[in-house]
Amino acid sequence: MRSCFPRVPTACAAALAPIAVVVLALPAATLASARPAGSAPPLVVSAGTVATTLSPGAQAQAVYNRMTAAQRVGQLFMVGGAVTGLGSATTTAISRYHVGNLILTGRTTAGAPPVRYLTGRADTVTTTAATAGVPLFIASDQEGGYVQVLQGPGFSRMPTALTQGSWSDTLLTAYARTWGTQVMRSGVDVDLAPVMDTVAKSFASLNKPIGFYQREYGYTQTVVADKGTTFLKGMRASGLAMTAKHFPGLGRVTGNTDTTAGVTDTVTTRTSTDITPFRAAISAGAHLLMVSSAYYSRIDASHPAVFSSTVIRGMIRRDLGFTGVVISDDLGNAKQVAAWSPGARAVGFISAGGDVVLTGNPYVVPAMVAAVTARAASDGVFRARVQAAVMRVLTVKAQYGLLAPRLPVTGYFGPLTKTALQRWLGISQTGVFDGATIRALQVRIGAPVVGVWGPHSMAALQSYLGLYLDGATTWNTRTVAALQRYLDTQL
């Protein structure tokens, strides 16, 4: 993560007219700003960051207060971008429509270096004008089996959740720690996993979204709760923010909401034991909870869960006491929600109490943002829900270090960068590129460990960062800037 943890093309068809601005103000908190006399000067930081001595809530409030209305609304969206290259529609969603979160879509087998390059470049789009300098939550679906976006050199091939669930807790924890470190070191900081849905063994082959792909950890709520939280805690140890999904469960349906409309669960109730694994995941440290877009006829027959206040404000907030970020299942391309306009999908989710609208389709972002902004301007109740949702998103970002000071990208390999590098390596922070630092960096990037920095080490670093090899024999501006961008995704 960026502070609290050591861590490891298409074009837009047309630009929509600027959306109306509505002030979404919260009472300003009284924030202490004094530094102890004689203390070291703070890092040079980008706009939107705050002192890390503040509590996460205070950090979030300070950032909220300096954001524009449009930037606040943007924090309530997660836009899709291809893991092989984001494309202009995705970067426009961030730069013009202020979207504050990114999900990497598709698959890559090219390995970690290209992902490191992509995430570092994506972070540079979060300018003062775009997101008030607040970094993106960058997410990936890294479950295992058929659902593993990040593959290739630097990423272990992960077995299905059903296989993982057959392992001992000790073995699963060890593997999950390794997988989590690999994901974090690629610049991704949110895993949209684990799947906490329970599918009966006799029904698994008929259950298209989960059982058919062996995405469940077992066939009983007890096993799913145990193995799912074991995976969660192992992955989270690396600093990843984890996401329990798909509340209140997709284990009782036949259709896949991504490809089918009218998917309905006629079994699950508000007090069903299928809720047990989600409660366990929250207790284990899941700070995000994804809501299904299926109907649940015995909970709220009139609305898909993703648009249901009974599900989100009733079950998630009140019954489970969850205070983290509620994120939707895909509202951009899913057939289940195709009957609603993109704007209605976004407004419906936030009205029901949701926080982050996930859309794998970046082209619907302008309509979604415009609809949310317009409703907030005309509806005080909705405006209050937007305010509360933005604060929840910023608070969780603060908990994971994303509101902390950022390393400036200057291309200069000075003491500030050397200290940040040492912090990432987990060694003594002296601000001097000494033999111990060189050896630790050589180990991390897979270079020969000789304690002397030369052309071979530089080539290994450029490869690690996803750069083309330019034959540099020592530090140059291009490589240092890439390293600084990468460290900003890590610290």
Side-chain angles (χ1 to χ4, degrees):
M1 288 321 258
R2 285 165 167 100
S3 175
C4 298
F5 304 93
R7 56 181 268 189
V8 185
T10 54
C12 288
L16 297 190
I19 58 176
V21 174
V22 54
V23 176
L24 304 172
L26 287 182
T30 302
L31 304 175
S33 60
R35 254 187 320 116
S39 62
L43 290 176
V44 177
V45 300
S46 60
T49 56
V50 294
T52 54
T53 53
L54 301 175
S55 69
Q59 290 181 56
Q61 182 70 71
V63 170
Y64 182 101
N65 290 346
R66 68 184 57 153
M67 284 178 141
T68 67
Q71 290 168 343
R72 292 167 185 166
V73 169
Q75 289 296 311
L76 304 186
F77 290 87
M78 178 176 281
V79 64
V83 67
T84 52
L86 297 183
S88 60
T90 298
T91 56
T92 296
I94 299 167
S95 63
R96 184 180 303 173
Y97 296 99
H98 314 287
V99 168
N101 308 282
L102 172 68
I103 174 174
L104 302 181
T105 59
R107 296 288 187 274
T108 181
T109 57
V115 180
R116 293 187 188 109
Y117 181 81
L118 181 147
T119 55
R121 298 301 302 184
D123 221 33
T124 66
V125 185
T126 58
T127 61
T128 302
T131 66
V134 175
L136 305 166
F137 257 150
I138 301 180
S140 178
D141 283 303
Q142 203 76 348
E143 302 173 14
Y146 298 95
V147 186
Q148 183 179 343
V149 171
L150 309 176
Q151 301 179 38
F155 299 113
S156 301
R157 195 67 179 95
M158 301 166 63
T160 66
L162 193 60
T163 297
Q164 294 174 36
S166 69
W167 295 348
S168 69
D169 286 354
T170 301
L171 184 62
L172 180 54
T173 297
Y175 271 104
R177 283 177 176 267
T178 297
W179 300 332
T181 298
Q182 293 170 346
V183 173
M184 286 292 294
R185 288 186 180 165
S186 74
V188 172
D189 46 25
V190 176
D191 190 6
L192 298 179
V195 167
M196 301 303 282
D197 310 288
T198 305
V199 187
K201 187 173 185 179
S202 60
F203 186 61
S205 62
L206 302 175
N207 177 242
K208 295 296 177 61
I210 309 298
F212 185 79
Y213 296 104
Q214 299 184 358
R215 298 171 71 192
E216 71 277 30
Y217 286 91
Y219 299 121
T220 68
Q221 294 87 355
T222 300
V223 172
V224 172
D226 174 26
K227 300 304 181 180
T229 56
T230 299
F231 171 88
L232 186 155
K233 287 185 283 189
M235 295 286 281
R236 184 173 177 260
S238 67
L240 279 173
M242 302 299 293
T243 310
K245 63 185 185 183
H246 310 78
F247 190 86
L250 284 173
R252 307 283 187 172
V253 302
T254 55
N256 185 335
T257 55
D258 288 337
T259 57
T260 309
V263 176
T264 303
D265 176 327
T266 60
V267 178
T268 303
T269 67
R270 187 162 176 170
T271 58
S272 171
T273 54
D274 283 5
I275 308 300
T276 302
F278 294 98
R279 182 178 285 108
I282 292 169
S283 297
H287 285 105
L288 293 90
L289 183 65
M290 180 179 287
V291 182
S292 155
S293 58
Y295 285 95
Y296 295 82
S297 61
R298 298 184 66 184
I299 297 173
D300 181 349
S302 301
H303 305 92
V306 78
F307 302 145
S308 172
S309 61
T310 301
V311 170
I312 299 177
R313 293 205 301 276
M315 298 175 70
I316 295 176
R317 297 297 185 200
R318 287 198 289 272
D319 296 356
L320 297 184
F322 182 64
T323 59
V325 169
V326 174
I327 185 170
S328 73
D329 205 343
D330 180 39
L331 296 182
N333 294 318
K335 295 294 185 183
Q336 178 80 351
V337 297
W340 288 263
S341 70
R345 297 170 209 165
V347 169
F349 176 64
I350 294 171
S351 292
D355 299 318
V356 172
V357 176
L358 187 156
T359 171
N361 180 357
Y363 293 99
V364 301
V365 165
M368 286 181 161
V369 169
V372 170
T373 303
R375 177 63 66 89
S378 62
D379 184 335
V381 172
F382 184 82
R383 182 161 59 250
R385 287 182 181 146
V386 168
Q387 293 169 349
V390 175
M391 280 297 294
R392 280 191 290 267
V393 173
L394 291 176
T395 299
V396 173
K397 284 191 172 185
Q399 290 172 332
Y400 283 86
L402 272 71
L403 303 189
R406 301 170 78 181
L407 181 67
V409 180
T410 63
Y412 170 61
F413 193 54
L416 197 64
T417 301
K418 294 170 185 176
T419 299
L421 176 63
Q422 290 165 336
R423 186 163 148 236
W424 175 61
L425 294 170
I427 62 177
S428 179
Q429 298 171 36
T430 65
V432 177
F433 195 57
D434 54 13
T437 305
I438 292 171
R439 285 189 291 273
L441 181 56
Q442 288 168 334
V443 169
R444 183 66 60 89
I445 64 176
V449 183
V450 295
V452 177
W453 193 260
H456 293 298
S457 296
M458 187 60 72
L461 177 62
Q462 290 180 338
S463 295
Y464 184 89
L465 297 173
L467 300 173
Y468 66 82
L469 304 187
D470 61 10
T473 59
T474 186
W475 295 95
N476 57 23
T477 300
R478 170 178 171 267
T479 306
V480 174
L483 176 62
Q484 290 166 335
R485 285 192 296 269
Y486 175 65
L487 290 174
D488 270 333
T489 73
Q490 298 295 293
L491 299 173

